[in-house]
Every structure is written in C-alpha cells, then in structure tokens.
Amino acid sequence: MGFYTGLVRPILFMMNAETTHELGKWFFKQEYLWSLSRSYLKFQDEVLHTTVGGVNLKSPFGLSAGWDKNCELIASMSNMGFGYLTPGTVMPHSREGNPRPRIVRYAKKQSLGNALGLPSEGVERALERLKHKSSSVPIFPSIGGYTVEEIDRSHSLLEPEVDGIELSLRCPNVYDKEASFMEPENLSQLLSRINDHRKKALFVRVPSYHNPKDRENRLDLIDVCLKNHVDALTLSGTRKIEEKNVSVDFVNLTGKDILSDSIRIVHDIYKATEGKIPIKSSGGVFTARDAFRMIKAGASTVEILTALVYEGWSVVRNLNRGLANLLREEGYTSLQEARGVLKTIAA
Ligand SMILES: Cc1cc2nc3c(=O)[nH]c(=O)nc-3n(C[C@H](O)[C@H](O)[C@H](O)COP(=O)(O)O)c2cc1C
C-alpha cells in the first residue's frame, strides 16, 4: 500500500466527495511541489510514443475532461506523466452547474457518480489562463455550448493557444432538450463552420450508448465526423443512473464500473469504422492491463480521471511503466501494432 492509498486517501475519503474534489484541486495548484516531483513521476519509453491528430505524444495516457474545468491546473498536471491534457469542458459563459450535492463516491466499486452539470468560469477566463500556461505536454481543451455561433467562437478564441480542440456534444448531466448537436444535421453545420477556419486537430466526443437506437444515432454522428475530417473520436462508457443522494436524482457513473462498457463501445466503433479514425478512449481504466485491453479493442489513446481519485498521483507513472512492459512482453515494438488486435470482446 502506498503513501496515497494508505494514508492520504483514507483522510480524504472521510470528507464528502465534492470537498475532496476541491481539496484535490487546491493541492494541484501548488505548481512548485509538482515541478519537484516531475523526475519521480516521469517514465519515458519509446514504445509508448504515438500521435493523434498529427500531434506527437510521448505517452498515450491523457487526462480526461472534467478534472480541470477552468484550465487552472495545467502546469502541475503536465508534470504527472500524462502524454496530453484535456482541460474543460469550457462553456461559452460562466455557469454554476447543478446545485450541491452533486458528486457521490462508490468506494467499494472504485467508482464515482457526478451530476456537476457543466460548471464553468466561461471561455474568457479559460483563454486568459491558456495564454499564460506553462505545459510540457500537448493541450486539447474540451469546449461545449448550445449554438453553432457559441461553439465556433470558443473554438476560434482557444485554438491559437493550444494543440487541438475537443468538442463535447452533450453533457449527460444537462437535460437532453439542450442537446441539439446530437442531431447529425446540426453537427454537420457546426463542423462545416469550424472547418472554414480551423488550423489544428479537432476531436469530437461522441456520447456513450447502451441500446441499439442510440448506437444508430452515434454511428450517424460518426459518419458526419468522418465526412468533415475530424481527427479523432473520444469515446467512453459513462452511464446515467438514478441516485437519490444528489440534488438532481441522477448521476453520470465513472470509474471501474464502466470499464467493460467503455471497452465494448471502443471495440464496436473501431470495427464499424474499420480503424480509419483514431479513438481517444476513457472510462474505468485503473491498471496497465485495463489500458492494454482498451488499446487491443481499438483505442489509440487512453484517458483517466476517476483512477486519480482512487490511486493518487503515481497512477500515471505506473500505467506508463506497466503498459511499456506489457507491450514488450508480447513482442510489440510500437503501440500502433497492438491497436485493434482483439477479434472479439469476452462477455
Ligand atoms: C467529476 C467529473 C467531472 C467530469 N466532467 C466532464 C466534463 O466537463 N466534460 C466531459 O466531456 N466529461 C466529463 N467527465 C467525464 C470524464 O471525462 C471521463 O470520460 C469519465 O470520468 C470516465 O473516465 P474515468 O472512469 O477514468 O473517470 C467528468 C467526470 C467526472 C468524474
């Protein structure tokens, strides 16, 4: 048992989940501390090098959207061993999100439920921070919004400061009626507007699906992405579930509980697109073996968030080291060779 899991986590877990979250963020704002930890947390191995959207990455592990919603933690998080960071989701205007309580912990299942509802300080604050950021790894902020104009404006403002942009089509914690970009025609309009001026990588986060009707909708959305030369899809197995202990009676489930759904969705889309488009995966990855399965299912990169809460700051180093060992043990000389080699997913 390590210092974090043996000592820090039990103390943090005595507090409610949102307080822990706030405390965690405060801790990661101590940039000096994290710059000192850099050499301890770093793990370099050429077998882990890859690219996504034309951007070179030294590790396939990324920080998922949602941990650094307002682009405040970039300097510290870039010292943790990640190959890239996804701050955000940055919204066009400042918004509070849902009332508290809005995060719950399912400790036995190493999972979390959140109903944050996209709190954001807005795109102007994010822009200020991104202009002055110091990062040793590529940054792909996630942006959201409700109209073509809003999202296009956020894209134009942030793109010059970063390496690529991820579009978030829908937040599961916000009501579906606001989710107009789940309509393929609307997504097509949005992408064609952005394509008129974009210069860097563009990723689209396509929401998860758990039934055939939603799957059909996601495949239509992905078709629009392919036609509009989107550089990668972001996929996860998150799931909306009922939860009485938050203000809005439902949460978006993340962590170990969704690993199998994440792997299923990544594999399904990898096969449906014949591997033609890179997949940034997220959802339930805690160990190098989980990540290796995700890559074999068709992922190009693997993002984490909930594992940070349960495993602490060494998790990325352990993932990097473990994955490099697994790749070499099975005779792969690059990550790309292992992508999509799984024929079927065990039920
Ligand atoms: C507290 C929290 C906040 C999140 N906020 C966002 C968000 O703003 N935008 C987004 O696209 N995903 C958001 N997510 C989803 C994550 O990006 C990720 O897909 C999900 O947590 C599954 O990965 P994990 O099991 O490694 O946590 C959030 C997740 C959590 C736990």
Side-chain angles (χ1 to χ4, degrees), residues 22 123 222 237:
E22 294 302 324
V123 68
I222 289 169

Short mmCIF file of all heavy atoms in Angstrom, two decimals, residues 22 123 222 237:
data_model
loop_
_atom_site.label_atom_id
_atom_site.label_comp_id
_atom_site.label_asym_id
_atom_site.label_seq_id
_atom_site.Cartn_x
_atom_site.Cartn_y
_atom_site.Cartn_z
N GLU A 22 -12.48 19.55 -4.27
CA GLU A 22 -11.97 20.93 -4.15
C GLU A 22 -10.57 20.93 -3.53
O GLU A 22 -9.67 21.64 -3.97
CB GLU A 22 -12.89 21.79 -3.27
CG GLU A 22 -14.27 22.04 -3.86
CD GLU A 22 -14.21 22.71 -5.22
OE1 GLU A 22 -13.32 23.55 -5.43
OE2 GLU A 22 -15.02 22.36 -6.10
N VAL A 123 -15.45 30.97 -21.24
CA VAL A 123 -14.33 30.85 -22.19
C VAL A 123 -13.29 31.98 -22.01
O VAL A 123 -12.09 31.75 -22.22
CB VAL A 123 -14.85 30.77 -23.65
CG1 VAL A 123 -15.49 32.07 -24.11
CG2 VAL A 123 -13.75 30.35 -24.60
N ILE A 222 -20.96 9.78 -36.17
CA ILE A 222 -19.58 9.46 -36.53
C ILE A 222 -19.39 9.59 -38.05
O ILE A 222 -18.36 10.06 -38.53
CB ILE A 222 -19.20 8.05 -36.01
CG1 ILE A 222 -19.09 8.12 -34.48
CG2 ILE A 222 -17.90 7.54 -36.64
CD1 ILE A 222 -18.99 6.78 -33.79
N GLY A 237 -17.58 4.89 -21.75
CA GLY A 237 -18.74 4.05 -21.43
C GLY A 237 -19.56 4.61 -20.28
O GLY A 237 -20.26 3.87 -19.60
#
